[in-house]
Amino acid sequence: ARTRQLDELMALLRIPSVSTTAAHKDDVAAAARWLGEHMQSIGLENVEIIATPGHPIVYADWLHAGDGQPTVLIYGHYDVQPVDPLELWLTPPFEPTVRAGGLYARGASDDKGQTFVHLKAVEALLAATGKLPVNVKFLLEGEEEVGSPALVDFVPNQQERLAADVGLISDSHILAPDQPSILYGLRGIWTGEVTVTGPATDLHSGTYGGVVHNPNQALAEMLAALHDGTGRVAVPDFYDDVRELDATERTALAQVPHGDEDVLRETGAPALWGAADYSVVERTGARPTLEINGMWGGFIDPGFKTVIPSQAHAKISCRLAPNQDPDRIGALVADYLHTLAPPTVEVTVKTGHVGHAFLTPLEVPALQAAAVAYERVFGSAPVYTLEGGSIPVVVIFQQALNIPVVLMGFGLPDDNLHAPNEKLDVESFYRGIATSIAFMQELAHQQ
Ligand code: BES
Ligand code: ZN
């Protein structure tokens, strides 16, 4: 069975369901159809591929647990990030390859592989016992990597269909192969694209250099002013609403075995950066940031072209702490960029994705069930920690469906998410299946 489970995942990974570019729209749809057919074949019911203005949502359920057993709403995303830079992949991103215990492919970890874990858990239980210990609803989307625009509207409009007692999401990683972790918080996000326009057209840098302000330079000066010398974001009022960590939580987070050395090893960066008054777990999990994800303008092809470009561009993302409102942060950043803009250029800021941060109380019973399940399969108790990535729908589950959400990751920190050579540890995949089964059984026992 193990080989078949992996082979099936590889078939799903072969579909290049990149959601961030229109060029792959049909591939994203194909992945949705593949999943719908697969869900049908393993015994899930009410399978539906739901068209949206963007990429489809896939729904399926199994609701025969009976006797007041709880319902688990399992969310995952089958869209993936682009593959660039392609030349750095050791094997092609959509030709899944097992090497040194890892299954390498775009989406292996984020999030096809981790989503597939739960389908295989459900299939195994249904095949072995003809039933599941709890009711299960699957909600899979193809737009997570573009901010879940359709899903954040869909969920509040489908409260009946999606009614559940707990949400379950595997779209994150644990701390190490033998150190499971449960996330009690994720950061929110705001993204925006900045365009700086100077002259009406590109200019000869010999004829006009020295009299026209180069937009690349103006943009660089503005971007450089977005942080102070200590690594704090310099946008006025940026930190106003940030949830402060109290001493108890800081003490608990200090126990999380993930520190400076781990980050240096994981990233290969020559030295760490950032506001040193917070630990790396605090800085990535609970403190907001502003990152320049891309900047371009002028001539970047091989060779030289002596030009003053008309425009320069940057893509910015802010990771947000609980209580920070993405729209307010976007407005603050845009205002500040306008303040920073010299009279020699014009600036526009266009918002991309937004999502609120997530935080859950540790007392939620389903978290205890997750802890028991992890411990049973991994042989060690999970630690509770915060993560810096964003999953926009988590907060919508909390607010619109009024359910707690368990973030039960099976990835590892070195899975290369959004990067070349993404992988899923093969052993983590099988452990994930066992943990998902144990979680459902444990939830049933809690009743
Ligand atoms: N799986 C990630 C989120 C994640 C990353 C959680 C690391 C925990 C640890 C997810 O697919 C993702 O990358 N989300 C985007 C959302 C954005 C495009 C709105 C993100 O965080 O950049
Ligand atoms: Zn993901």
Side-chain angles (χ1 to χ4, degrees):
R2 284 166 66 107
T3 320
R4 177 184 53 80
Q5 290 168 330
L6 203 63
D7 284 347
E8 290 169 356
L9 173 55
M10 287 163 82
L12 176 60
L13 290 170
R14 274 188 202 101
I15 308 172
S17 50
V18 180
S19 59
T20 58
T21 136
H24 283 288
K25 197 167 167 54
D26 293 346
D27 296 316
V28 183
R33 278 197 308 277
W34 190 97
L35 281 163
E37 279 161 27
H38 193 74
M39 289 166 130
Q40 190 87 45
S41 75
I42 64 173
L44 288 165
E45 300 170 352
N46 298 310
V47 178
E48 197 182 334
I49 313 246
I50 301 150
T52 78
H55 303 299
I57 293 165
V58 186
Y59 175 87
D61 60 30
W62 189 93
L63 305 174
H64 310 294
D67 282 352
Q69 286 300 344
T71 301
V72 188
L73 176 62
I74 302 175
Y75 160 90
H77 65 92
Y78 62 86
D79 64 321
V80 300
Q81 286 272 333
V83 296
D84 61 282
L86 186 59
E87 64 279 11
L88 294 185
W89 287 77
L90 296 179
T91 49
F94 298 112
E95 288 174 28
T97 311
V98 176
R99 107 173 82 85
L103 172 59
Y104 285 82
R106 173 57 90 226
S109 179
D110 185 11
D111 182 40
K112 287 172 173 171
Q114 295 197 61
T115 301
F116 207 59
V117 157
H118 298 293
L119 292 176
K120 294 299 99 180
V122 162
E123 176 186 42
L125 282 167
L126 284 176
T129 65
K131 68 189 299 289
L132 303 178
V134 293
N135 300 310
V136 168
K137 298 178 176 180
F138 277 95
L139 182 68
L140 311 183
E141 70 159 319
E143 296 190 323
E144 197 276 346
E145 302 291 7
V146 292
S148 305
L151 200 67
V152 300
D153 289 337
F154 181 81
V155 173
N157 284 318
Q158 298 279 325
Q159 284 169 335
E160 211 163 312
R161 182 183 346 203
L162 301 179
D165 299 287
V166 55
L168 175 62
I169 301 180
S170 298
D171 188 18
S172 53
H173 57 259
I174 58 176
L175 283 168
D178 293 313
Q179 181 53 73
S181 45
I182 291 178
L183 303 181
Y184 67 94
L186 287 174
R187 286 190 292 189
I189 191 164
W190 172 85
T191 67
E193 181 167 335
V194 186
T195 303
V196 168
T197 308
T201 178
D202 288 4
L203 302 174
H204 191 293
S205 68
T207 312
Y208 293 105
V211 292
V212 171
H213 197 179
N214 186 319
N216 277 337
Q217 183 184 340
L219 178 61
E221 288 162 354
M222 290 162 59
L223 295 178
L226 294 176
H227 289 89
D228 71 12
T230 70
R232 263 178 80 90
V233 177
V235 175
D237 305 328
F238 187 81
Y239 291 91
D240 277 6
D241 302 321
V242 172
R243 178 185 78 110
E244 288 299 334
L245 299 166
D246 64 22
T248 318
E249 191 173 353
R250 293 195 79 176
T251 307
L253 288 174
Q255 305 304 311
V256 175
H258 189 246
D260 294 16
E261 293 306 317
D262 301 291
V263 178
L264 287 172
R265 181 174 38 76
E266 285 162 16
T267 62
L272 295 191
W273 177 88
D277 43 346
Y278 290 92
S279 71
V280 301
V281 171
E282 292 170 340
R283 256 142 68 197
T284 56
R287 302 296 297 169
T289 59
L290 186 155
E291 294 291 337
I292 300 153
N293 302 119
M295 47 203 288
W296 70 102
F299 187 71
I300 56 170
D301 292 335
F304 287 90
K305 180 183 179 204
T306 44
V307 66
I308 298 173
S310 167
Q311 288 194 323
H313 312 262
K315 297 203 191 214
I316 291 180
S317 62
C318 295
R319 297 286 172 175
L320 308 178
N323 301 339
Q324 283 186 299
D325 175 40
D327 295 327
R328 171 157 199 251
I329 291 300
L332 292 175
V333 172
D335 285 353
Y336 191 49
L337 284 166
H338 283 112
T339 311
L340 290 171
T344 48
V345 295
E346 269 160 22
V347 178
T348 59
V349 181
K350 197 168 143 260
T351 290
H353 325 125
V354 292
H356 279 88
F358 161 77
L359 196 64
T360 185
L362 296 179
E363 300 76 49
V364 169
L367 287 186
Q368 305 311 314
V372 172
Y374 268 132
E375 184 156 8
R376 198 172 292 158
V377 176
F378 288 75
S380 51
V383 295
Y384 292 85
T385 186
L386 300 165
E387 256 296 339
S390 310
I391 307 174
V393 82
V394 184
V395 176
I396 316 283
F397 278 5
Q398 275 183 325
Q399 287 170 356
L401 304 177
N402 196 22
I403 54 173
V405 181
V406 177
L407 298 176
M408 184 188 251
F410 300 116
L412 291 174
D414 62 355
D415 279 352
N416 298 321
L417 306 190
H418 299 197
N421 305 307
E422 178 177 351
K423 63 110 170 109
L424 178 67
D425 200 55
V426 174
E427 194 51 37
S428 301
F429 174 61
Y430 295 122
R431 282 186 174 188
I433 298 171
T435 310
S436 173
I437 292 172
F439 176 71
M440 288 188 260
Q441 289 167 337
E442 197 54 34
L443 263 192
H445 287 145
Q446 278 187 349
Q447 290 309 297

